[in-house]
C-alpha cells in the first residue's frame, strides 16, 4: 500500500486526502491546530473544482449547505447600473458539466472532514493528526518526511505541502518565491437573511440568489448568499494599507469603518454594508509570482503553498481542489508506479494554468478598480458587448479544465 503525508488540514489538504484514498493510498494529514476547523467567510467554487467534488460522491452533502446563484451581475458604483450579466444556475451546469456553488468556508470544510472520517469509505485510509506543527520537510530515500517542532517525524512515499500562504514545507525545502503584499486590503462581513428582510431598503436582495460585483474607483464590492441562502457574504476589496495588519494576519473592525470604505457609492450598496455587525474581518491581500518549481524529489506543493494568488478571479479555493484532482489522476493512471514521474506530469499540467490565473488576478486589480474616465468607459462597453470573463481569460477556459 502506498502512503502519503499531507501537511495542512484545510480545504486543499482534505480534498487531496479524499482523492488519494479513492486511489487506494493510505494518507496521514498533519494539522498544526489542536482541532480541525476552517475560519473565514464565503467561498465560491467554480465548475473546474466542483466536478472534482462530484467525482468524490459529495453532491448530496454539499447541496445541503451550498447556494447555486441563478445569475451573475456586474454593477456600476455610483448608480447601480448593470454593466453586464450572465445566466448561471442549471444553464451553467449544463454547459460545463458541474455546478457553480457558494459556501461558507466552514460548511464546505465540514463536508470534506466528515467524508475523510467516513468509516465505510472504500480504498485506502485517512488518519488525521492534530497539534502537529510541521517546521520542516525533507526527502529520505524513496520517500519524504514531515518533522514537527518537537522532533516527531511522519514519513511516506510522498509528501504534499498543502499548508497555505505561509507554507512551512515551501520554506524549509527551499522552493523559490517570496510572499508579496499588495497595497490591497479586504473587508468581509456576514449578514443574516432575517436582518435584510426586516428592512425595506435591503429586503430586495433576498428575492433572487444573484452573484453580484460592484465596480468602482479604487475598490470593488462582491456579495452572494451562502448557508442555504440564510446568510449574505459581503466583501469590499480596495486599494490601500492598514498598520493594524503590519504584525497580524487580520483584524476586526466596526460597521462604520466598513461603510466608510465606499464613500459616495450608491445607497443601494451602502444600505447593505450598514447591516453588518461590528465584527467585520479586515485582511491584507497576499500572493506570489508565478513559478513552476513545485516538486523536489517526493515533495510536492498544492494550493496556496504552490500558487498563492489575489482573489480577483475567485479561483483560490477552486485551484486547490483542482490540484488535488489532477495530482490523484496522475498517481492512479498509466505510469503511476513511478511516483517521481507522476509528480512531474502533475506539475507540468497544473503550473501553467495556475500561473495564468495568478497573472489574470493581478491584471484584475487594475481592471476592477478603474476611476471614472475613458478607460473605465471602454471596459464597461467591452463587458456589455462580450461578457465572457476578464483579466484576459475566459470562463470557458477557466471552468472547462
Amino acid at each position: 500500500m502506498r502512503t502519503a503525508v499531507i501537511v495542512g488540514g484545510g480545504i486543499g489538504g482534505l480534498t487531496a486526502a479524499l482523492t488519494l484514498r479513492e486511489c487506494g493510498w493510505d494518507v496521514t494529514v498533519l494539522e498544526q491546530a489542536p482541532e480541525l476547523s476552517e475560519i473565514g467567510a464565503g467561498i465560491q467554487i467554480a465548475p473546474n473544482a466542483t466536478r472534482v467534488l462530484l467525482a468524490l460522491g459529495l453532491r448530496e452533502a454539499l447541496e445541503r449547505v451550498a447556494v447555486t446563484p441563478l445569475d451573475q451581475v456586474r454593477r456600476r458604483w455610483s448608480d447601480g447600473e448593470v454593466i453586464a450579466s450572465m445566466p448561471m444556475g442549471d444553464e451553467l451546469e449544463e454547459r460545463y458539466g458541474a455546478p457553480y456553488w457558494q459556501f461558507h468556508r466552514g460548511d464546505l470544510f465540514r463536508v470534506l472532514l466528515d467524508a475523510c472520517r467516513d468509516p465505510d469509505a472504500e480504498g485506502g485510509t485517512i488518519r488525521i493528526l492534530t497539534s502537529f506543527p510541521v517546521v520542516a520537510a525533507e526527502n529520505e530515500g524513496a520517500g519524504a518526511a514531515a518533522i514537527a517542532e518537537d522532533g516527531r517525524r511522519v514519513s511516506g512515499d510522498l509528501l504534499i505541502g498543502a499548508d497555505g500562504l505561509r507554507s512551512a514545507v515551501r520554506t524549509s525545502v527551499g522552493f523559490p518565491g517570496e510572499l508579496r503584499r499588495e497595497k490591497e486590503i479586504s473587508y468581509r462581513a456576514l449578514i443574516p437573511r432575517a436582518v435584510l428582510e426586516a428592512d425595506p431598503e435591503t429586503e430586495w436582495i433576498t428575492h433572487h440568489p444573484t452573484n453580484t460585483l460592484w465596480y468602482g474607483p479604487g475598490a470593488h464590492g462582491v456579495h452572494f448568499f451562502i448557508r442555504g441562502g440564510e446568510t449574505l457574504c459581503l466583501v469590499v476589496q480596495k486599494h490601500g494599507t492598514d498598520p493594524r495588519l503590519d504584525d497580524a494576519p487580520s483584524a476586526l473592525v466596526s460597521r462604520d469603518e466598513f461603510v466608510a470604505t465606499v464613500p459616495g457609492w450608491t445607497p443601494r450598496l451602502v444600505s447593505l454594508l450598514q447591516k453588518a455587525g461590528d465584527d467585520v474581518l479586515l485582511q491584507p491581500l497576499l500572493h506570489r509570482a508565478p513559478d513552476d518549481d513545485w516538486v523536489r524529489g517526493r515533495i510536492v506543493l498544492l494550493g496556496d503553498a504552490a500558487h498563492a494568488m489575489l482573489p480577483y478571479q475567485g479561483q483560490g479555493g477552486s485551484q486547490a481542489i483542482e490540484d488535488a484532482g489532477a495530482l490523484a489522476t496522475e498517481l492512479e493512471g498509466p505510469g503511476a508506479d513511478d511516483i517521481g514521474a507522476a509528480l512531474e506530469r502533475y506539475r507540468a499540467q497544473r503550473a501553467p494554468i495556475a500561473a495564468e490565473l495568478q497573472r489574470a488576478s493581478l491584471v484584475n486589480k487594475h481592471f476592477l478598480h478603474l476611476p471614472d474616465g475613458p478607460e473605465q468607459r471602454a471596459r464597461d462597453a467591452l463587458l456589455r458587448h462580450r461578457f465572457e470573463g476578464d483579466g484576459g481569460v475566459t470562463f470557458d477556459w477557466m471552468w472547462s479544465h
Side-chain angles (χ1 to χ4, degrees), residues 150-162:
D150 58 8
R152 286 176 294 164
R153 188 181 191 97
V154 178
S155 301
D157 299 316
L158 165 68
L159 186 144
I160 301 171

Side-chain angles (χ1 to χ4, degrees), residues 28-247:
T28 300
V29 179
L30 306 177
E31 169 56 42
Q32 65 178 349
E35 63 181 61
L36 286 172
S37 64
E38 182 71 42
I39 61 172
I43 185 171
Q44 303 178 62
I45 305 296
N48 54 300
T50 58
R51 66 172 52 92
V52 176
L53 302 177
L54 297 185
L56 289 168
L58 299 178
R59 179 163 204 144
E60 183 178 349
L62 290 169
E63 284 184 332
R64 288 196 288 268
V65 295
V67 171
T68 303
L70 297 183
D71 50 27
Q72 186 179 93
V73 176
R74 305 196 175 202
R75 294 181 177 273
R76 179 171 159 75
W77 70 279
S78 58
D79 55 11
E81 175 194 358
V82 173
I83 299 169
S85 65
M86 72 173 189
M88 299 184 83
D90 291 343
E91 183 173 331
L92 188 146
E93 180 166 359
E94 288 176 12
R95 181 170 184 174
Y96 295 106
Y100 190 108
W101 279 332
Q102 300 163 174
F103 298 98
H104 188 285
R105 294 185 70 95
D107 292 341
L108 172 58
F109 175 83
R110 178 56 57 181
V111 170
L112 296 172
L113 181 59
D114 288 348
C116 286
R117 290 174 169 167
D118 180 2
D120 300 321
E122 298 180 355
T125 63
I126 297 175
R127 176 177 64 146
I128 299 175
L129 300 181
T130 55
S131 298
F132 201 108
V134 171
V135 295
E138 62 185 30
N139 284 291
E140 52 174 25
I147 302 135
E149 258 178 353
D150 58 8
R152 286 176 294 164
R153 188 181 191 97
V154 178
S155 301
D157 299 316
L158 165 68
L159 186 144
I160 301 171
D163 48 343
L165 282 166
R166 298 174 175 85
S167 169
V169 172
R170 183 180 185 117
T171 300
S172 71
V173 175
F175 289 99
E178 294 183 357
L179 199 57
R180 298 180 176 183
R181 178 178 295 222
E182 290 295 312
K183 291 184 177 180
E184 301 278 314
I185 51 179
S186 171
Y187 294 80
R188 296 176 180 268
L190 298 179
I191 304 171
R193 182 188 188 95
V195 171
L196 300 167
E197 289 178 327
D199 188 336
E201 289 191 359
T202 55
E203 188 264 346
W204 60 271
I205 199 174
T206 65
H207 294 168
H208 190 77
T210 293
N211 181 297
T212 303
L213 286 80
W214 298 78
Y215 289 2
H220 77 282
V222 181
H223 55 73
F224 53 91
F225 278 100
I226 56 176
R227 295 205 148 151
E230 293 305 309
T231 302
L232 184 73
C233 178
L234 181 54
V235 182
V236 173
Q237 292 167 334
K238 62 176 294 184
H239 184 72
T241 59
D242 193 294
R244 291 169 293 186
L245 300 176
D246 288 346
D247 299 308

Side-chain angles (χ1 to χ4, degrees), residues 321-350:
I321 293 170
E322 190 176 333
D323 285 348
L327 179 58
T329 297
E330 296 301 340
L331 290 167
E332 182 184 36
D337 289 343
D338 186 338
I339 294 174
L343 297 185
E344 282 300 321
R345 290 194 302 271
Y346 157 77
R347 180 202 60 77
Q349 177 199 151
R350 292 291 304 134

